[in-house]
Amino acid sequence: MTVAQKILAFYEALDVPKKLPKSVITMNPYQDKEAIPYTKLFYEKYYNDSQERTVLFGINPGRFGGGVTGIPFTDPVKLEEDCEIPNPFDKRQELSSRFVYEVIDAFGGPNKFYADYYISAISPLGFIQNGKNLNYYDIKDFKKLFEKYAHERILEQLDFPLNRKVAYSIGQGQNLKFLKALNDKHKYFERIETVPHPRWVMQYRLKRKQEFIDEYLRTLTQAKN
């Protein structure tokens, strides 16, 4: 099987975390007949091989990005303009997607970036509460709800294959803390590094954006060394 086939099989088999509060809505584009063809086009375009990649773990998909397209940090605009995959989705931009694709452009474009890196999330499915994005770690008793779920999802992805020397947390707060705790317990990777969350950069540090793009390039390039 190619990496693309393994990734798509993983996504299509995803189930919803058990015992979520009733007020929490789960987004699953991989069960959406309109979305999944475009998810397939993306992975077949960039992951149609068997080579190892370094993984970056985000938090969970957002309702204007991966929650629509099925591709982490990729909104319908970037899917069409940067990945050259025309799609019928509402062309609303996501702040995080804008930043990530500026990083990808600085790496030399999607072909070059995705040949070396794979973006995932601690929860591959996204959540909405009261019409707004909800981070998995903002759900009450999230450790009890997500520890086993996240562990099983990480194990399933190791076979893609992933670089076992280093993995990255996208986000330097709760996401990093939770991923490190899982890794300390289960030893998926030799070490966990971190990069700033794109939304934090775009919302609170926009004037310093280029600094953070440079930080991504510098930090991620260490994975090759």
Side-chain angles (χ1 to χ4, degrees), residues 64-66 72-79 81-82 91-106 197-199 201-203 206 209 213 216:
F64 300 134
F73 291 100
T74 302
D75 63 25
V77 175
K78 293 304 180 184
L79 182 60
E81 293 181 355
D82 291 60
K91 298 303 184 291
R92 294 188 67 167
Q93 285 198 306
E94 182 187 64
L95 281 178
S96 293
S97 184
R98 282 171 52 195
F99 178 82
V100 164
Y101 275 86
E102 288 193 53
V103 170
I104 288 172
D105 184 59
H197 197 280
R199 184 170 183 84
V201 174
M202 297 294 280
Q203 197 163 356
L206 186 58
K209 181 176 65 174
I213 292 172
Y216 263 72

Side-chain angles (χ1 to χ4, degrees), residues 99 102-103 106-107 195-196 208-222:
F99 178 82
E102 288 193 53
V103 170
F107 264 92
V195 285
R208 295 172 53 200
K209 181 176 65 174
Q210 189 58 48
E211 287 180 38
F212 294 108
I213 292 172
D214 294 342
E215 180 178 340
Y216 263 72
L217 266 64
R218 185 173 61 252
T219 305
L220 293 182
T221 303
Q222 294 173 2

